Amino acid sequence: DIVITQSPLSLPVTPGEPASISCRSSQSLLHADGYTYLDWYMQKPGQSPQLLIFMASNRASGVPDRFSGSGSGTDFTLKISRVEAEDVGVYYCMQALQTPLTFGGGTKVEIK
Amino acid sequence: EVQLLESGGGLVQPGGSLRLSCAASGFTFSSYGMSWVRQAPGKGLEWVSGIRGSDGSTYYADSVKGRFTISRDNSKNTLYLQMNSLRVEDMAVYYCAKGTVGATPMDVWGKGTTVTVSS
């Protein structure tokens, strides 16, 4: 199984400041079709998860452009250019290259 | 509006069975792969099972293989998860999601249904 490791575990942020979450996989997530199957999800308190970024760098429909995803192979980053209060929650990266799909342990973003 | 609505959760004793359902609306259900993802109390997300829309191929996490069965009824726009031989560690909120392995990210999620396994 592909192991996904996220860091940090907790991320206190100041509104208006940038934030960054790292995600590392135990093997390359580049498929033979040329796409990289790494997705980012956010779960706000008391809510279901929601898709933020798919295939490493594509923002999902309705996601604000302050969210961006980057990376390739085994190393990926989710960046929030300017954190807003509504961004608090737990962020997960997940590999969709092969089954079983596997999630990182999550990063809890909270306001300082 | 695209919607997923789970049902069927509840309290069951260890060793018991439950069948979860997920009613889909607002999209062509038969064209999409679907997944079940669970979240134990205070824990992170765990993918449980997926089923492709194209050929109905099914996939399972090792933790549920041989005990859980995913299926779909495209005529009813409904996804199912038959859960047998339930264990305490299966206790979680179970989410239904549109999307599965590969180029179909999980872009729509239901609100979840709670499964409690306790004697």
Side-chain angles (χ1 to χ4, degrees):
Chain A
D1 297 359
I2 298 176
V3 177
I4 303 293
T5 304
Q6 268 182 255
S7 62
L9 208 61
S10 176
L11 183 59
V13 295
T14 301
E17 294 296 306
S20 178
I21 300 171
S22 174
C23 178
R24 185 164 289 178
S25 62
S26 60
Q27 66 186 71
S28 175
L29 301 183
L30 176 64
H31 191 274
D33 63 8
Y35 293 105
T36 296
Y37 289 105
L38 187 283
D39 303 326
W40 288 94
Y41 296 87
M42 173 198 187
Q43 186 174 32
K44 294 183 179 182
Q47 295 187 17
S48 303
Q50 61 185 90
L51 177 67
L52 289 177
I53 302 287
F54 63 97
M55 292 185 197
S57 60
N58 299 277
R59 258 190 314 276
S61 176
V63 174
D65 61 6
R66 63 180 181 274
F67 291 94
S68 64
S70 63
S72 62
T74 62
D75 288 293
F76 303 92
T77 302
L78 175 71
K79 291 183 179 176
I80 310 174
S81 59
R82 292 174 306 280
V83 173
E84 297 188 5
E86 65 182 26
D87 299 336
V88 297
V90 182
Y91 291 74
Y92 299 92
C93 55
M94 186 205 80
Q95 66 82 17
L97 179 70
Q98 65 186 49
T99 59
L101 308 186
T102 44
F103 289 90
T107 295
K108 186 174 184 178
V109 172
E110 50 196 4
I111 300 296
K112 280 182 183 176
Chain B
E1 183 188 1
V2 178
Q3 276 192 325
L4 298 172
L5 184 62
E6 304 94 337
S7 60
L11 173 63
V12 62
Q13 292 186 338
S17 298
L18 274 179
R19 188 177 84 154
L20 306 183
S21 299
C22 171
S25 60
F27 64 101
T28 307
F29 179 72
S30 59
S31 296
Y32 290 90
M34 300 290 294
S35 293
W36 288 99
V37 176
R38 69 184 180 185
Q39 186 168 37
K43 301 296 185 181
L45 301 174
E46 180 188 14
W47 177 83
V48 172
S49 182
I51 183 168
R52 288 194 188 273
S54 53
D55 60 7
S57 297
T58 58
Y59 308 90
Y60 299 93
D62 288 345
S63 58
V64 306
K65 202 172 294 182
R67 300 187 299 122
F68 290 11
T69 302
I70 191 172
S71 62
R72 61 192 302 158
D73 185 336
N74 291 334
S75 69
K76 295 182 178 179
N77 290 343
T78 302
L79 176 73
Y80 302 101
L81 185 68
Q82 177 67 44
M83 304 187 297
N84 298 332
S85 303
L86 281 161
R87 304 168 179 169
V88 171
E89 54 264 35
D90 296 319
M91 188 160 59
V93 175
Y94 283 73
Y95 297 101
C96 163
K98 169 179 165 281
T100 186
V101 63
T104 55
M106 293 183 279
D107 61 351
V108 181
W109 294 64
K111 294 187 184 303
T113 186
T114 300
V115 172
T116 303
V117 184
S118 175
S119 54

